[in-house]
Amino acid sequence: VDDSTMPFSRGWNNQVCALDLDSYTWTNPHCKGPYPSPRAAHAGALIANKMYIFGGRHDTMRLNDLHCLNLASLTWSGSILPVGAAPCGRSWHSLSALGDNQLILYGGYSQNQEPLGDCWQLDLSSMQWQSLEFCSRGPRLWHLACTTSNNSVVVFGGCESDILDYN
């Protein structure tokens, strides 16, 4: 089944939810600024008081946009446009904070329904993506990635093949 031909009937949204860890209650804080489009299967990373999100799927498109939510002011940045080459649109990827000024993007699922094994680094000072050829270990999607205390990114689990190929 090619799910790109299905009518837009999924429940994607761009809602922000916050969990209070003292009371274990959820709230929907009112955010300002231009919200990202509704999406599913995007990835996010936290640096200081800023939450960055990249990509995901909206309707039939896998996106390659970057947005930032300032958690102190609850203000969205609008689409951030890094300079130069950028990763292709994707869903089911990971985005990890590396130090105070870098994001690491790994793997995912492309617009052409291909598992991805590429790795990209975004320097937030220069707002420039760089492809990291040395770190690819093959395609990986639907995985978890986290940063360790010595600034390494650990990738765990996921899938190596086209999860929509039911054969």
Side-chain angles (χ1 to χ4, degrees):
V1 174
D2 178 4
D3 69 345
S4 67
T5 62
M6 297 172 93
F8 183 74
S9 61
R10 302 188 188 206
W12 300 326
N13 66 61
N14 57 0
Q15 180 181 29
V16 173
C17 297
L19 175 63
D20 182 316
L21 293 176
D22 292 327
S23 64
Y24 292 107
T25 57
W26 287 97
T27 59
N28 297 101
H30 175 73
C31 297
K32 299 173 280 203
Y35 275 69
S37 61
R39 61 194 62 215
H42 57 286
L46 179 67
I47 296 181
N49 67 343
K50 294 182 177 179
M51 172 60 73
Y52 293 88
I53 65 166
F54 181 87
R57 182 169 170 182
H58 174 76
D59 198 8
T60 61
M61 294 298 301
R62 287 182 172 83
L63 308 169
N64 73 336
D65 56 348
L66 179 69
H67 298 265
C68 178
L69 177 61
N70 182 315
L71 297 174
S73 65
L74 291 176
T75 303
W76 281 106
S77 64
S79 188
I80 299 171
L81 302 172
V83 295
C88 68
R90 64 191 65 213
S91 56
W92 297 327
H93 52 287
S94 61
L95 186 68
S96 304
L98 191 61
D100 294 332
N101 204 33
Q102 297 175 354
L103 296 172
I104 302 294
L105 172 72
Y106 182 64
Y109 196 63
S110 78
Q111 180 65 30
N112 299 324
Q113 297 182 328
E114 297 170 337
L116 299 167
D118 57 344
C119 186
W120 291 78
Q121 176 180 354
L122 177 63
D123 182 303
L124 294 171
S125 295
S126 66
M127 290 310 293
Q128 200 159 21
W129 285 106
Q130 177 184 2
S131 177
L132 302 177
E133 300 298 329
F134 64 88
C135 74
S136 180
R137 300 269 191 237
R140 180 71 49 183
L141 60 137
W142 227 7
H143 59 280
L144 173 69
C146 62
T147 309
T148 67
S149 59
N150 66 350
N151 273 341
S152 295
V153 176
V154 176
V155 176
F156 180 79
C159 180
E160 296 177 333
S161 60
D162 182 350
I163 61 174
L164 296 180
D165 181 0
Y166 300 110
N167 296 322

